[in-house]
Amino acid sequence: MTRRDYGDDGYAPGVWHNGPRPQLGFTLNGCAENETGDGTVTRPVAGDMAYIDDVTGAGHVTRGQGDRWMLFVTVAPEHLRSTPEA
């Protein structure tokens, strides 16, 4: 588990990168703009959670929008599978 405080420098342009490993990203406060290689743009705010699994390929860019804290929890992909109850 990792907590990151991105500071309060306002808009940050970000750089294209891949996630270091499959992980869940929780926005604890603030907001950002995320763009993926296919052009999809999301704007997570406090309380949002995302599964980050782009460990290969074009990756994504995150553009910070002011003070923002994130919590990242590493997960093994097989642990996210749902098994129907009998």
Side-chain angles (χ1 to χ4, degrees):
M1 184 174 354
T2 306
R3 184 191 63 81
R4 290 189 187 156
D5 179 354
Y6 290 92
D8 56 1
D9 294 332
Y11 179 80
V15 296
W16 285 91
H17 62 285
N18 294 94
R21 65 197 63 82
Q23 56 191 342
L24 296 172
F26 297 88
T27 303
L28 301 178
N29 76 313
C31 62
E33 178 181 274
N34 298 319
E35 182 178 353
T36 59
D38 68 1
T40 301
V41 175
T42 59
R43 292 177 178 83
V45 297
D48 286 349
M49 185 270 307
Y51 177 51
I52 303 163
D53 66 345
D54 62 343
V55 296
T56 61
H60 65 278
V61 63
T62 300
R63 299 175 186 101
Q65 316 253 316
D67 187 30
R68 181 171 58 99
W69 285 23
M70 295 287 300
L71 177 70
F72 297 97
V73 178
T74 301
V75 294
E78 62 274 6
H79 292 168
L80 295 177
R81 290 197 187 115
S82 161
T83 305
E85 294 185 24

